[in-house]
Each structure stands twice: as structure tokens, then as C-alpha cells.
Amino acid sequence: MSRALIIVDVQNDFCEGGSLAVKGGAEVAGAISEYVDAHHSQFDYIVATQDWHIEPGGHFADNPDFIDTWPPHCVAGTRGAELHPDLDTEYIQAYFQKGQFTAAYSGFEGILAPEDAVPTGDRKPGAMPLPDDAAAFTASTFADEDAIGLDDWLQSHDVEDVVIVGIATDYCVMATSLDAVQAGYSVTVVRGLTAGIAADLDDAYAEMELGGVDLA
């Protein structure tokens, strides 16, 4: 049995200074880096997800309700879609991009990004290597019938146990964790390595536990 860490959406737009900032996002980015540095040997694989919006339809709104509609964020190829600079990418082995043409909260809606379209090694802010036309490139990748989803990738690497951290606790972390349970994985969410939108996250934690997620 293999074990994987899934780092959910630790992106500039979801951290302080971003277009859809979550309080404590930058702090969580640094805390995840410290956790990975200390515990990477406990995982066979470490992967990350990214919101990667091209034309997500009604997901974006001029007057968002911050429940189902949101201000523009994590637009493909922009700095806001990049991983936060305090998140060390050294041990991340694969990236899964989601929400290209629709709202997508779960990492299990994402597809594997090509190696030349994601940050690797010692990344500097603003240095994410992208094709000249990132949106067109991602659109063609997303339409590829052979595109690899997160579940396919995890299964191909014999992963049965996943630990989930990231942003936001009550949206993408929760959706990813519940989908992971439904897909048959043993799932743990590390509360101290997430940041949520709501001031009170008790309902989100209760929904995750009810759905079969272990909270650490």
C-alpha cells in the first residue's frame, strides 16, 4: 500500500494579497512546507492541485455571493494561479489542474499537468514556466481524451491512503477529501494545515467526519 499527500490549491489568489484571499493562507503555505520537510519520508508520493480557470462560466461573477459565485481568481497562466512562494515545491511530484471550464472544487476533477507547465525545484515568485499561450495550451490538454485524472494517477501508483492539506478547508479541501472517500481511499485531513473561508469551521469538519474523513 502506498501513501500520498495531496496539497490542495495553495495559490497566490487564495492567500493574503490575492483576489480571493483566505485568512491564514500564507501561514498555511509555510506550515505545509515545514511539515513536508519534516515528514516527506512518510509519503510515497506528494502531489498538488491548482484551480486553473480559463472560462469557468457562472463560477465568476461581477457581484459574487461568495457561496456559489466568486470574483475572478486563479486564471490560467497568471501569477494568481501560481503556487504561493512560501510553499516549497521540492518534493511535489505531480500537479493536477482543475476548473478550466466550470466550477471545480475537488482535486479529483483535475487533470495531470504536463511537466513543462508546472514549477519544479527552486521556484521563485513569478517564475512559473508556461507556454506562450497558456490558456490555449491548457484548453487543448484538457480536451485530450488521454488526460490523466487524479484518481487514475493515484490508482496507477497503488495509493490507498491519502492525507490532505491546503486551502480552503470548507470548500476545496472538503470536496477533495469527500471525493477521495467515495473513490475508496483512506482519508485524513490535517486541520492545522488548512485555512478556511468561514470563521466557524465546525460544520465543515462535521460534514467531513460524517462522510468518512478522519481529522487529525
Side-chain angles (χ1 to χ4, degrees):
M1 179 183 75
S2 295
R3 189 172 189 237
L5 176 69
I6 302 174
I7 302 171
V8 175
D9 297 2
V10 182
Q11 296 168 262
N12 286 325
D13 271 348
F14 294 142
C15 296
E16 287 79 356
S19 64
L20 190 53
V22 176
K23 183 179 180 180
E27 182 179 356
V28 160
I32 291 172
S33 293
E34 293 178 3
Y35 176 83
V36 170
D37 187 55
H39 300 285
H40 63 89
S41 63
Q42 298 175 13
F43 297 97
D44 299 286
Y45 305 101
I46 298 176
V47 303
T49 71
Q50 292 172 282
D51 260 12
W52 198 252
H53 296 307
I54 298 173
E55 293 289 347
H59 188 56
F60 289 173
D62 292 334
N63 298 296
D65 61 16
F66 293 93
I67 298 173
D68 298 309
T69 59
W70 310 89
H73 60 274
C74 298
V75 174
T78 66
R79 186 179 183 279
E82 291 182 19
L83 301 177
H84 191 274
D86 288 345
L87 180 67
D88 187 351
T89 62
E90 178 181 358
Y91 297 104
I92 298 175
Q93 296 151 288
Y95 298 81
F96 295 84
Q97 296 170 341
K98 58 188 175 69
Q100 286 84 345
F101 302 106
T102 186
Y105 297 98
S106 171
F108 284 83
E109 298 175 76
I111 60 169
L112 180 65
E115 290 184 3
D116 60 356
V118 296
T120 57
D122 297 327
R123 189 177 67 86
K124 296 179 175 62
M128 182 175 179
L130 290 166
D132 291 337
D133 189 343
F137 177 81
T138 307
S140 64
T141 303
F142 187 74
D144 185 352
E145 292 181 357
D146 295 325
I148 299 171
L150 176 57
D151 187 34
D152 294 330
W153 193 93
L154 294 173
Q155 288 191 40
S156 71
H157 290 80
D158 297 320
V159 173
E160 296 183 13
D161 182 17
V162 299
V163 174
I164 299 174
V165 300
I167 305 171
T169 313
D170 40 345
Y171 282 88
C172 294
V173 169
M174 181 167 67
T176 301
S177 67
L178 293 175
D179 275 0
V181 172
Q182 289 298 310
Y185 300 94
S186 174
V187 183
T188 302
V189 168
V190 183
R191 285 180 287 191
L193 296 178
T194 70
I197 292 175
D200 185 347
L201 295 170
D202 286 348
D203 287 347
Y205 292 142
E207 186 171 345
M208 283 189 273
E209 286 190 306
L210 185 63
V213 176
D214 292 326
L215 299 176

